[in-house]
Amino acid sequence: MPVPHRAPPPRPLPLLLTLLCVAPLLAAAPPSGVIVATAAQTELAERVEALGTLRANESVMITSTVTETIAALHFDDGQRVERGALLVELTSAEEQALLEEAQARRAEAERQYRRVNALVAQDSAAESLLDERQRDLETSRAVLVALESRLADRVIRAPFAGVLGLRQVSPGALVEPGDPITTLDDDAEMKLDFTVPSRYLAGLTPGLRVEARTRAHGERVFVGEVRGVDSRVDPVTRAVLVRAILPNPERRLRPGLLMRLELLFDPHTAVVVPEAALQQRGQRHFVLVVVEDAANDRLIAERREVDIGIRRPGAVEIRDGLAVGERVITDGHQRVRPGAEVRVLAVDTGDAPLQRLLEESAT
């Protein structure tokens, strides 16, 4: 019985022929759509956070230096006063009478001195008598100065311009040295004391910029500068006490407020890109830069290694490897290979979320 003839199995196409067939299909694939951001130049600084407490530039408790009753009060709660303004008068009737007596004694001593001096000039009196009259004159002057000082202690004036606190006494009350009458704060500018780890000591110099916030005023930023650094480091906390000065022209800040602050170390101008554009491979960092392929009239992705610096929320400093104005891929770089053609769908300026950019590019 004859064996039926079977056709030989088809032979596979050579690999080269397969590539030649698929290549046109690959070439015809549309370029990948990406969202890009432009490398911008901005001011950057290393930020160190701390907590501090506000103090008035000058602050004093108004009190008496003598034990006496209050004759009159010349201020109200929370009043603003100038330097030298009269605040309190204490009873001073006795001192006033003694002062008048001392003035009369001095006037009499001066007359006696002039009369004896004229007699000595005419050789009608001894020099010793003139010396006695001069001694009496100097004594009367010293007594007068002492009584004027005692009288001045019974008048309390503002030692500097500022705002007064609440009144703690009433007219007729007996006050003793150290008894609080009120407070006086110079709040034209405020002192902000805070501690910083000693590892930042080398960069703590007068003039360093400070940005401070307090819950009492929401997110408003109060800008000041470092005035001084303590001469010692705390051996327990290894921190150093720093004092900054915050201008307070609107008088919004008050002593005792807790402030959240940021110290700005090494302020400089830098190239910044969105953090989403950064790709990391071990210790190395890369970005995909969209460049023009003028020969083929298209845009391609170029992989470039960069040196990064300061990071801040959503952004990163590029110290080397990227120039201002270059465009980097922030979304879609997972689908893009270096050298591949790309199509820019949208430019991320940071004003709109990514989802909105994708929706707008789709429409």
Side-chain angles (χ1 to χ4, degrees), residues 277-299:
L278 202 62
Q279 296 178 320
Q280 186 170 351
R281 299 291 185 272
Q283 299 298 321
R284 304 168 69 187
H285 299 87
F286 301 88
V287 293
L288 286 175
V289 184
V290 175
V291 297
E292 292 186 6
D293 183 5
N296 299 308
D297 191 22
R298 61 177 186 167
L299 298 176

Side-chain angles (χ1 to χ4, degrees), residues 9-153:
R11 298 176 60 185
L13 292 175
L15 177 60
L16 179 59
L17 181 60
T18 303
L19 293 177
L20 291 175
C21 294
V22 176
L25 297 177
L26 294 176
S32 299
V34 296
I35 293 178
V36 300
T38 304
Q41 191 174 46
T42 185
E43 293 292 329
L44 277 185
E46 182 181 0
R47 294 175 178 264
V48 176
E49 296 184 352
L51 290 175
T53 302
L54 279 179
R55 296 175 53 196
N57 185 44
E58 301 291 348
S59 182
V60 68
M61 175 70 72
I62 302 297
T63 184
S64 173
T65 58
V66 297
T67 300
E68 195 56 83
T69 57
I70 295 178
L73 294 170
H74 298 276
F75 68 91
D76 295 322
D77 297 341
Q79 179 180 341
R80 291 196 172 273
V81 295
E82 297 298 326
R83 179 179 180 180
L86 178 62
L87 302 179
V88 183
E89 285 184 284
L90 302 178
T91 302
S92 58
E94 180 181 355
E95 285 70 22
Q96 188 66 43
L98 293 174
L99 179 65
E100 293 175 359
E101 179 184 358
Q103 290 173 340
R105 290 181 179 277
R106 184 194 62 180
E108 178 61 24
E110 287 178 349
R111 286 194 296 271
Q112 292 295 332
Y113 175 78
R114 288 195 297 269
R115 185 176 65 82
V116 173
N117 189 34
L119 292 176
V120 170
Q122 300 172 4
D123 293 332
S124 300
E127 290 285 345
S128 58
L129 183 59
L130 180 62
D131 293 340
E132 291 180 5
R133 295 297 177 265
Q134 184 176 3
R135 182 175 62 253
D136 293 341
L137 176 59
E138 292 174 353
T139 301
S140 64
R141 288 175 176 173
V143 171
L144 181 61
V145 170
L147 287 172
E148 288 175 344
S149 177
R150 288 175 58 184
L151 193 60
D153 289 339

Side-chain angles (χ1 to χ4, degrees), residues 106-236:
R106 184 194 62 180
E108 178 61 24
E110 287 178 349
R111 286 194 296 271
Q112 292 295 332
Y113 175 78
R114 288 195 297 269
R115 185 176 65 82
V116 173
N117 189 34
L119 292 176
V120 170
Q122 300 172 4
D123 293 332
S124 300
E127 290 285 345
S128 58
L129 183 59
L130 180 62
D131 293 340
E132 291 180 5
R133 295 297 177 265
Q134 184 176 3
R135 182 175 62 253
D136 293 341
L137 176 59
E138 292 174 353
T139 301
S140 64
R141 288 175 176 173
V143 171
L144 181 61
V145 170
L147 287 172
E148 288 175 344
S149 177
R150 288 175 58 184
L151 193 60
D153 289 339
R154 283 155 175 80
V155 176
I156 303 176
R157 299 182 180 274
F160 49 81
V163 58
L164 295 168
L166 300 180
R167 180 162 57 89
Q168 304 295 328
V169 295
S170 299
L174 177 68
V175 293
E176 298 179 352
D179 289 348
I181 297 176
T182 187
T183 58
L184 176 63
D185 295 315
D186 176 11
D187 57 353
E189 57 182 21
M190 306 295 290
K191 296 175 181 175
L192 180 59
D193 293 346
F194 56 94
T195 57
V196 175
S198 58
R199 65 177 178 271
Y200 297 108
L201 191 58
L204 288 172
T205 57
L208 197 65
R209 181 184 172 92
V210 173
E211 295 180 356
R213 297 173 176 84
T214 178
R215 294 183 64 182
H217 297 292
E219 290 302 314
R220 176 170 179 174
V221 179
F222 297 88
V223 179
E225 62 179 28
V226 171
R227 174 66 58 85
V229 182
D230 197 4
S231 60
R232 297 181 179 182
V233 175
D234 191 311
V236 177

Side-chain angles (χ1 to χ4, degrees), residues 326-343:
E326 291 191 291
R327 296 183 296 176
V328 296
I329 298 176
T330 60
D331 183 72
H333 43 57
Q334 300 87 350
R335 305 184 300 271
V336 177
R337 301 296 179 187
E341 183 179 0
V342 296
R343 178 169 57 91

